Amino acid sequence: MKIAVLPGDGIGTEIVAEAIRVLETLDLKFEMESALVGGAAYEAHGHPLPEATLKLAKEADAVLFGAVGDWKYDKLERSLRPEQAILGLRKNLGLFANFRPAICYEQLVGASSLKPELISGLDILIIRELTGDIYFGQPRGRRTAVDGHFPGAEEAFDTMRYSRPEVERIAHVAFQAARKRSKRVTSVDKANVLETFQFWKDIVTEVGKEYPDVELDHMYVDNAAMQLVKAPKKFDVVVTGNMFGDILSDEAAMLTGSIGMLPSASLNASNQGLYEPSHGSAPDIAGKGVANPLATILSAAMMLRFSLNQPEAADRIESAVQSVLAQGLRTADIWSAGTTKVGTREMGDAVVAAITKKTITG
Ligand code: IPM
Ligand code: MN
């Protein structure tokens, strides 16, 4: 088993270092190899996703990814910006199925901006299609308008598109995931306006007939955004396109009050996957040793479960995380009065200690 480790930029290197220490504590037989990605790769090799990094990722069983991006690259031409690295990895590895859980940890109920009763016990799984939609649709670009409100003016355009097989496969992923949970899927679309999402809705409905045991409902994206803050516990599995999934998953993550706690997995058809925290590179706190490593540590647990076939090891990490929260340890992002503030390294230490202790006491 081989893991490609791509820490990236900003807090990426600090949080991935803690996840690696946790993985090493487990005494499992896998090989880890690191490479540069994002702004760090651009600085060293002139490209955010160098050939060697892509090759390493393709050949690995799983990729553990930190975060990419920094404001200082905003002026670069689009193809050289750090974000292109993650988009390129998704496309080249065919990582079409993105799992973004939004779980409210009981000890962190107070961290949410919503009332505790609205989010206590929250456990949503957003399944975001990740390699299609307006993110990748061609054509795109800039040109002189020939029609529209201002013919002759400069304009920019992107293309929203989905093919039938793309929608079918993500729908299957959602229904199968729902079978392992509470057997409910909400498909989010904008079928009232967009042809692409009427097509999406029709296909999800068709695929749903193969899963009579799973309850399917449909919701427009604007309403879904509203329901997420009004009554988030109504949702269980949410399946949606790339763009709506990007937006709704940030919203759902923040409901839990702790985006620093949430892992994610992006899988292809052969269960090869890329695992990354749901948050970004946070350049404002990079290098200060205060970032929360738990989302990345929990992403490593997802990696063990989904791509490396080590469910017990995944359980060990997850219960170690529960136990450090129960001890009252908190990084700055989730700190509140009465708990103990710790840095990135100390949080990693605590998870390692919790795993080691459980191992000794059995
Ligand atoms: C995410 C990020 C990316 C996205 C960016 C960095 C390209 O926001 O993973 O949600 O838009 O998909
Ligand atoms: Mn996003």
Side-chain angles (χ1 to χ4, degrees), residues 39-104:
Y42 172 75
E43 303 284 350
H45 305 293
H47 196 280
L49 183 58
E51 271 307 317
T53 302
L54 181 58
K55 184 164 177 284
L56 175 70
K58 276 186 169 165
E59 288 170 1
D61 298 288
V63 179
L64 184 63
F65 191 91
V68 291
D70 191 310
W71 304 300
K72 68 180 178 210
Y73 303 114
D74 284 358
K75 294 248 149 53
L76 279 180
E77 71 169 86
R78 182 166 305 282
S79 67
L80 295 177
R81 290 192 205 161
E83 292 78 10
Q84 292 304 311
I86 186 68
L87 294 172
L89 283 164
R90 290 171 183 169
K91 196 69 184 173
N92 280 286
L93 274 65
L95 306 170
F96 70 93
N98 182 210
F99 290 73
R100 298 196 164 181
I103 294 170
C104 180

Side-chain angles (χ1 to χ4, degrees), residues 68 83-84 86-87 90 98 100 128 130 135 242 245-246 249-250 276-278:
V68 291
E83 292 78 10
Q84 292 304 311
I86 186 68
L87 294 172
R90 290 171 183 169
N98 182 210
R100 298 196 164 181
R128 168 187 177 195
L130 204 57
Y135 267 60
N242 203 346
D246 178 44
S249 62
D250 263 32
E276 57 174 327
S278 284

Side-chain angles (χ1 to χ4, degrees), residues 2-304:
K2 185 161 179 181
I3 304 171
V5 179
L6 311 182
D9 307 323
I11 59 172
T13 46
E14 300 162 53
I15 55 185
V16 167
E18 298 313 313
I20 289 176
R21 289 205 303 133
V22 169
L23 285 168
E24 284 170 348
T25 311
L26 297 167
D27 258 335
L28 295 170
K29 291 206 167 33
F30 40 58
E31 203 187 309
M32 294 193 250
E33 193 176 330
S34 300
L36 294 176
V37 76
Y42 172 75
E43 303 284 350
H45 305 293
H47 196 280
L49 183 58
E51 271 307 317
T53 302
L54 181 58
K55 184 164 177 284
L56 175 70
K58 276 186 169 165
E59 288 170 1
D61 298 288
V63 179
L64 184 63
F65 191 91
V68 291
D70 191 310
W71 304 300
K72 68 180 178 210
Y73 303 114
D74 284 358
K75 294 248 149 53
L76 279 180
E77 71 169 86
R78 182 166 305 282
S79 67
L80 295 177
R81 290 192 205 161
E83 292 78 10
Q84 292 304 311
I86 186 68
L87 294 172
L89 283 164
R90 290 171 183 169
K91 196 69 184 173
N92 280 286
L93 274 65
L95 306 170
F96 70 93
N98 182 210
F99 290 73
R100 298 196 164 181
I103 294 170
C104 180
Y105 288 83
E106 219 40 54
Q107 293 100 340
L108 303 180
V109 164
S112 175
S113 45
L114 294 194
K115 295 189 201 93
E117 62 269 29
L118 287 181
I119 54 122
S120 166
L122 184 78
D123 181 357
I124 302 177
L125 175 60
I126 297 198
I127 298 184
R128 168 187 177 195
E129 198 291 329
L130 204 57
T131 51
D133 204 350
I134 197 165
Y135 267 60
F136 292 97
Q138 294 290 344
R140 57 162 66 202
R142 292 183 188 215
R143 66 187 169 195
T144 301
V146 293
D147 51 18
H149 293 297
F150 292 99
E154 205 190 345
E155 71 173 7
F157 61 102
D158 297 275
T159 304
M160 178 176 276
R161 61 192 291 181
Y162 266 121
S163 64
R164 171 173 282 277
E166 284 178 297
V167 182
E168 284 175 352
R169 64 181 181 179
I170 196 70
H172 282 291
V173 167
F175 288 113
Q176 278 160 23
R179 276 193 169 155
K180 298 189 192 138
R181 297 169 52 102
S182 70
K183 300 201 169 65
R184 282 191 297 122
V185 171
T186 303
S187 170
V188 173
D189 62 60
K190 189 71 188 174
N192 51 345
V193 179
L194 301 170
E195 196 53 38
T196 312
F197 275 91
Q198 182 63 56
F199 185 63
W200 169 283
K201 183 175 181 178
D202 294 345
I203 294 171
V204 174
T205 305
E206 266 173 58
V207 172
K209 301 219 166 79
E210 294 175 43
Y211 300 85
D213 53 320
V214 179
E215 190 189 314
L216 169 66
D217 65 356
H218 303 272
M219 204 180 271
Y220 296 141
V221 63
D222 47 351
N223 186 27
M226 183 173 75
Q227 297 302 329
L228 268 174
V229 288
K230 189 178 169 210
K233 282 193 266 186
K234 279 205 272 193
F235 294 97
D236 190 59
V237 173
V238 174
V239 63
T240 190
N242 203 346
M243 172 90 143
F244 299 155
D246 178 44
I247 300 164
L248 294 181
S249 62
D250 263 32
E251 186 187 1
M254 204 55 221
L255 291 181
T256 70
S258 48
I259 198 165
M261 295 293 303
L262 297 175
S264 79
S266 307
L267 300 179
N268 66 18
S270 38
N271 275 348
Q272 190 191 19
L274 181 147
Y275 300 83
E276 57 174 327
S278 284
H279 59 73
S281 57
D284 51 328
I285 56 164
K288 298 189 176 151
V290 298
N292 187 347
L294 293 178
T296 315
I297 290 171
L298 291 167
S299 299
M302 275 183 119
M303 171 176 83
L304 291 166

